Amino acid sequence: MADEQKPNAPQAAAPKPPPPPGPPAPPPPRNPGMVTLTIDGREVVVKPGTPVIEAARKLGIEIPYYCYHSRLSVAANCRMCLVEMSNSPGGKLAPACQAPVAEGVAVKTDTPRVKDQQRATLEFLLLNHPVDCAICDQAGECKLQDYYMAHDQQPSRLDMAKLQKRKRVELGPRVTLDNERCILCTRCVRFMREVAKEPQLGVARRGSRSYITAFPGKPLDSRYSVNTVDICPVGALTATDFRFQGRVWFLSSSRSVCTGCSRGCAVHLDWKNGVSYRLRPRENEAVNQEWMCDDGRATFRAFNADRVLRARVGRGEAGREAPLAEAVAEAAAVLKGSAAKGQLAAVLSPTASLEDLVAACGVARGLGLSEVYAGGRPDGWSDAFLKRADENPNRKGLELAAADAGLAVRTIADLAKAIAEGRARALWAVGAEVPSPTAAAVFARLEAFVCQAVNAGDVARAATVLLPAAPAAEADGTFVNFEGRAQRFERAYPPRGESRPHGALCADLAEALGQRPAGRTAREIFAARGAKLPLGDFRWELPPAPRAFALAPPPAGTVDGRIPGTREQPPAEPPPALQAILAKVTG
């Protein structure tokens, strides 16, 4: 009985069944450290975490979107960028702005299912849209227009009155909102919260009655508020000062640099018929990314208003307009005589381009000067984002040009002291910008004052010889920002009146003084002297700008061959595209 098993003895546990087979292990990456996937049958290799929309862009595949912005958080609320992905749960469409890439995934952006979704999204967004394109400032730059023509082109099926919301809402002193056009992409809300760090905008109410608004009693008064207009994909947000000023398809755009401070934000200058209309930020990752302050946007006004367009000889009531050649000869005689007596001083404005300052320093050195005085605008406000207190775009360029010519740079206070002590009785100013509010009164007491000025003002009126200078919109050149980074700007349109770039005026003065100028154009001056300055890997030549229209035939609205910005004035000769068409027609 000893071998008999006790009835209550525990029995050995039965072996557990093997677990069911799991999903296959993901394939090893074909490119270690990177992700390889296919989009519309084409393979692309990108960094991990890249959204599908950016991976497609690398292949030249443009996925339509409204709410996505590469510098803002992802909202994924417009649903315009939905695509098919092989790893999407349940085969659902996935937002390309939010879905990250994955190894071996196949993405399709042009299937009938995706196209139907895009048409449905556009129909939804346009249900209550006023479709007032004919009077909308965004016409020509509107993604609703572009995507409707590319993906929809269907009439509205709405059989009831459209929902009406408030129009012409002044969100702040510089931004006007039309709520009926808003598609609630929330780009503006995210920009103010994440980039400007001033959460002044939000979404009120819910459903179809939602709208963008500022907080009660607190307007949108940020110094970066107009950036919300730039990133608005439709015509909801408009810049108040540009509102109804001109159609964008009549404007030309030139690559320029903001003259508002020493940051030197890269910008687009939009113009028509020799008049500047607005500045927009241009992408430059090393300087301003793609933003700019509202004060910088307003600097274009100095290109238009209160311009000095004719030379003048004489001061006050004794002054008279004179031909430019006569005024240059008079200025050269004054400078030469004063320099011979050792009574001449030169003040150079850091609002002038590097090439202008190089030419001016060459003339100053030829006159026997050993130092120059730095003029320019007085300091303004600053912040930790973009704006610098120094409101002059080229102070570093002035230092480089003076050092290249062997000239010391003194302050405007040193100039005031030299004038008070009688050491400087004549003055030559390249630029009428002076930080001292009493400078004009002091200069008016000088025996001789030769001034090259862009804008009229107290300093320009104090000149005994006034020469008209051209601003950055009417000249080529280079600015060097506070970090020593050189940036080129290109001429938008020819100089107005008799005005000429500072460098050209300096060349005329040099020849009248018997000197050999470094060059007559910015290109020549930079090739002669500027290329020797410590500007890193800077190259003066800009890459070719995109063509305004196809070679032949021109699109509707440009059948006469004139490019935007010059359509109200006949061209001197037909452009090549029109010449080719005329040759075929006339045989």
Side-chain angles (χ1 to χ4, degrees), residues 84-166:
E84 291 187 13
M85 297 183 63
S86 60
N87 65 341
S88 181
K92 296 180 179 179
L93 297 180
C97 65
Q98 188 179 47
V101 296
E103 183 71 26
V105 167
V107 180
K108 297 179 180 179
T109 70
D110 58 355
T111 64
R113 187 181 175 197
V114 171
K115 298 300 181 185
D116 287 343
Q117 172 63 33
Q118 292 168 349
R119 282 192 291 269
T121 299
L122 281 168
E123 183 178 21
F124 171 75
L125 293 177
L126 289 167
L127 276 180
N128 289 303
H129 193 276
V131 197
D132 53 354
C133 305
I135 61 169
C136 179
D137 262 1
Q138 195 75 2
E141 297 177 316
C142 178
K143 287 301 180 183
L144 273 176
Q145 288 179 332
D146 295 344
Y147 290 158
Y148 175 83
M149 297 304 297
H151 305 288
D152 191 7
Q153 298 193 35
Q154 299 296 321
S156 175
R157 295 183 291 175
L158 186 67
D159 57 0
M160 62 184 70
K162 291 191 175 188
L163 182 66
Q164 295 184 349
K165 298 182 180 180
R166 291 182 63 200

Side-chain angles (χ1 to χ4, degrees), residues 413-485:
D414 295 330
L415 174 61
K417 184 178 179 181
I419 293 175
E421 294 175 354
R423 291 184 285 112
R425 298 185 177 181
L427 182 65
W428 173 40
V430 177
E433 298 81 16
V434 183
S436 172
T438 61
V442 174
F443 296 166
R445 294 194 295 268
L446 291 171
E447 297 176 2
F449 177 27
V450 177
C451 181
Q452 300 176 191
V454 174
N455 301 102
D458 292 340
V459 173
R461 283 188 287 270
T464 57
V465 180
L466 180 64
L467 303 178
E474 300 168 10
D476 290 300
T478 307
F479 288 140
V480 186
N481 74 355
F482 75 102
E483 296 174 314
R485 186 179 303 278

Side-chain angles (χ1 to χ4, degrees), residues 236-260:
L237 294 174
T238 54
T240 303
D241 65 346
F242 181 69
R243 188 175 172 88
F244 304 133
Q245 294 300 307
R247 288 302 190 186
V248 297
W249 53 74
F250 289 132
L251 301 179
S252 288
S253 183
S254 300
R255 292 164 291 183
S256 191
V257 176
C258 177
T259 61

Side-chain angles (χ1 to χ4, degrees), residues 1 70 73 86 139 152 176 212 237 239 251 257 313 336 347 373 396 398 405 458-459 470 529 577:
M1 297 297 294
S70 59
S73 61
S86 60
D152 191 7
T176 302
I212 299 294
L237 294 174
L251 301 179
V257 176
V313 175
K336 188 173 183 178
V347 56
Y373 299 92
K396 193 72 174 179
L398 172 56
D458 292 340
V459 173
R529 300 298 305 174

Side-chain angles (χ1 to χ4, degrees), residues 304-359:
N304 302 328
D306 297 327
R307 291 286 305 279
V308 177
L309 300 178
R310 298 287 183 272
R312 192 191 74 227
V313 175
R315 178 187 287 158
E317 295 181 358
R320 61 177 177 84
E321 286 191 358
L324 182 59
E326 178 186 337
V328 168
E330 177 69 18
V334 169
L335 297 182
K336 188 173 183 178
S338 300
K341 299 177 184 177
Q343 299 175 346
L344 179 66
V347 56
L348 309 184
S349 173
T351 63
S353 71
L354 175 66
E355 292 78 7
D356 294 339
L357 295 172
V358 166

Side-chain angles (χ1 to χ4, degrees), residues 33 197 213 240 300 336 338 356 377 472 476 508 510 520 541:
K197 307 297 184 183
T213 184
T240 303
F300 78 90
K336 188 173 183 178
S338 300
D356 294 339
R377 308 184 187 109
D476 290 300
D508 291 341
R520 302 201 64 83
E541 295 292 343

